[in-house]
Amino acid sequence: MGLDTETVLIVGQNLMFVGKVEALTEPLGYDVQRATTESAFWEHFANRRPSLVLVDLEGEEPVWSNVLEKIDHQELGEARIVAFGPHEDLATMERARNLGCDLVLSKGEFNRDLPKIIGRIKTNTG
C-alpha cells in the first residue's frame, strides 16, 4: 500500500460485501480496510482518512451507531458515508440517515449502485 493509495473503510462484521468492494476498488488503486469494532474504525481513521466509508447496517448496531454519532464530518472532507441494510428495516435506515450518512441504500440498491458510487469517489479524489 503506497502513500498515495486511497482508502475505502467498511464498518461491519459481514464479509459478504468485502470481496465485491475489493473487486471494484482495488483496480482503481484503493486499499480496502474493514473495521469490525469501534476501536478498529478509529485506528484506521487515525492512520488514513478514507475516501469512502461503507456502513453495513446489519452489523452490530452499537458499533456503527457510535461511529456515526462521533465522526466529525469536517474531518472527512470530500469523503462520503454510505450505509446499506435490509430494505424492510426502515427504522434502522432512517437512524443511519439521521446520524449523517450521505446515502442510505437497501442491500439490493447497494449491490446495483456500488460501481457508480466507486466511480463518483474516484472522480472526486482524482
Side-chain angles (χ1 to χ4, degrees):
M1 168 173 73
L3 291 176
D4 59 346
T5 303
E6 299 287 344
T7 301
V8 174
L9 183 51
I10 301 171
V11 180
Q13 292 74 33
N14 188 339
L15 292 172
M16 190 170 91
F17 293 103
V18 175
K20 182 170 186 167
V21 172
E22 287 174 341
L24 289 168
T25 58
E26 288 179 350
L28 298 173
Y30 288 92
D31 178 47
V32 176
Q33 297 292 319
R34 193 168 137 259
T36 59
T37 65
E38 186 180 351
S39 60
F41 175 86
W42 295 117
E43 185 177 320
H44 288 301
F45 191 81
N47 290 331
R48 307 195 68 175
R49 294 292 185 267
S51 300
L52 176 65
V53 176
L54 300 175
V55 180
D56 181 357
L57 298 176
E58 287 188 301
E60 293 179 24
E61 192 273 342
V63 173
W64 63 258
S65 65
N66 286 339
V67 164
L68 293 176
E69 285 174 6
K70 294 175 185 174
I71 200 162
D72 181 344
H73 290 268
Q74 289 182 324
E75 280 189 50
L76 278 175
E78 294 292 314
R80 292 178 49 90
I81 301 174
V82 177
F84 58 94
H87 71 277
E88 68 276 2
D89 193 348
L90 300 177
T92 298
M93 294 175 85
E94 186 62 26
R95 179 160 165 68
R97 276 187 204 90
N98 291 339
L99 288 172
C101 289
D102 297 302
L103 192 58
V104 180
L105 304 168
S106 70
K107 289 188 294 187
E109 291 169 328
F110 178 76
N111 276 321
R112 181 194 69 208
D113 294 347
L114 186 58
K116 285 189 262 183
I117 294 165
I118 300 299
R120 274 190 221 123
I121 62 161
K122 189 62 179 172
T123 301
N124 289 342
T125 59

